[in-house]
């Protein structure tokens, strides 16, 4: 029979070892989202940009005050674009787009998603092709993250359009 102090020590060791896995799961559960505005004045077939701040439910990736030091190799694992206002806006009015992530001042920008071939009848939601070749550890540990989309319109909008970009992130536990 295991004595109570030894048992408690084993439980504590298992718990502390699982913190890295728990933090990895938590950080991977909540996506970064950003609301992008495409103005009605945006020109068709010209390169355009929209910039917003990315937000996440569990936005605290800093190493001070939590277990973020227990995760590493943060990458994009999914990306989605959805119209929010008007909710029935056809994303097929956009011919192509790229999504970038950067520090709040725009430095260290990296492309995280792309869609070159948006079909004209795409509807109000599309999945983007991810570029997970970059580790985003330093970017997501910033107090705020800048999300930029570079897009080319196929068809002009009659009103300003609000789009929601959702970037799912994944991380690995460190030892």
């Amino acid at each position: 029979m295991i004595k109570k102090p030894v048992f408690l020590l084993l439980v504590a060791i298992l718990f502390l070892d699982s913190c890295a896995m728990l933090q990895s799961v938590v950080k991977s559960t909540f996506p970064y989202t950003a609301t992008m505005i495409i103005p009605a004045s945006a020109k068709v077939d010209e390169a355009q940009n929209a910039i917003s701040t990315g937000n996440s439910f569990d936005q605290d990736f800093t190493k001070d005050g939590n277990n973020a030091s227990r995760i590493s190799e943060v990458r994009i694992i999914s990306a989605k674009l959805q119209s929010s206002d008007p909710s029935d806006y056809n994303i097929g009015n956009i011919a192509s787009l790229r999504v970038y992530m950067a520090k709040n001042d725009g430095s260290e920008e990296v492309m995280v998603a792309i869609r070159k071939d948006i079909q004209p009848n795409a509807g109000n939601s599309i999945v983007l092709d991810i570029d997970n070749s970059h580790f985003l550890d330093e970017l997501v540990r910033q107090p705020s993250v800048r999300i930029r989309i570079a897009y080319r319109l196929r068809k002009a909008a009659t009103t300003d359009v609000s789009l929601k970009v959702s970037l799912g992130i994944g991380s690995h536990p460190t030892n």
Side-chain angles (χ1 to χ4, degrees), residues 8 17 22 24 31-32 34 38 48 59 69 77 134 161-163:
L8 291 175
D17 279 346
L22 179 64
S24 178
Y32 268 86
I38 296 180
Q48 306 283 328
Q59 201 163 336
S69 62
I77 59 171
H134 307 282
V161 175
S162 178
L163 301 173

Side-chain angles (χ1 to χ4, degrees), residues 21-89:
M21 180 59 80
L22 179 64
Q23 284 300 309
S24 178
V25 169
V26 169
K27 301 298 184 195
S28 300
T29 302
F30 302 105
Y32 268 86
T33 59
T35 302
M36 303 293 181
I37 304 296
I38 296 180
S41 61
K43 306 270 190 253
V44 173
D45 207 29
E46 288 185 16
Q48 306 283 328
N49 288 295
I51 298 172
S52 183
T53 301
N55 298 303
S56 175
F57 175 76
D58 183 24
Q59 201 163 336
D60 190 4
F61 269 87
T62 59
K63 290 188 177 186
D64 300 328
N66 72 13
N67 291 325
S69 62
R70 294 184 175 266
I71 63 164
S72 65
E73 299 179 15
V74 178
R75 294 181 188 214
I76 295 295
I77 59 171
S78 67
K80 182 179 178 181
L81 183 68
Q82 184 172 3
S83 59
S84 53
D85 187 26
S87 61
D88 62 346
Y89 176 75

Side-chain angles (χ1 to χ4, degrees), residues 11-172:
V11 169
I13 289 171
L14 288 173
F15 176 74
L16 292 175
D17 279 346
S18 70
C19 283
M21 180 59 80
L22 179 64
Q23 284 300 309
S24 178
V25 169
V26 169
K27 301 298 184 195
S28 300
T29 302
F30 302 105
Y32 268 86
T33 59
T35 302
M36 303 293 181
I37 304 296
I38 296 180
S41 61
K43 306 270 190 253
V44 173
D45 207 29
E46 288 185 16
Q48 306 283 328
N49 288 295
I51 298 172
S52 183
T53 301
N55 298 303
S56 175
F57 175 76
D58 183 24
Q59 201 163 336
D60 190 4
F61 269 87
T62 59
K63 290 188 177 186
D64 300 328
N66 72 13
N67 291 325
S69 62
R70 294 184 175 266
I71 63 164
S72 65
E73 299 179 15
V74 178
R75 294 181 188 214
I76 295 295
I77 59 171
S78 67
K80 182 179 178 181
L81 183 68
Q82 184 172 3
S83 59
S84 53
D85 187 26
S87 61
D88 62 346
Y89 176 75
N90 179 19
I91 294 176
N93 294 334
I94 302 170
S96 63
L97 67 87
R98 294 176 188 263
V99 180
Y100 298 89
M101 199 173 201
K103 289 183 177 180
N104 196 37
D105 64 2
S107 64
E108 298 185 32
E109 185 176 68
V110 293
M111 185 178 73
V112 294
I114 186 171
R115 190 68 183 267
K116 295 180 192 177
D117 60 348
I118 300 174
Q119 298 300 312
N121 59 347
N124 67 344
S125 178
I126 63 169
V127 174
L128 305 173
D129 301 320
I130 60 169
D131 179 351
N132 64 0
S133 61
H134 307 282
F135 290 126
L136 306 172
D137 298 46
E138 293 303 315
L139 287 179
V140 297
R141 287 189 172 103
Q142 298 297 308
S144 61
V145 176
R146 185 178 98 155
I147 309 293
R148 176 176 71 93
I149 61 168
Y151 63 93
R152 190 173 295 272
L153 287 178
R154 172 180 287 120
K155 181 179 176 186
T158 57
T159 182
D160 290 353
V161 175
S162 178
L163 301 173
K164 179 179 150 187
V165 176
S166 296
L167 301 172
I169 55 174
S171 62
H172 291 281

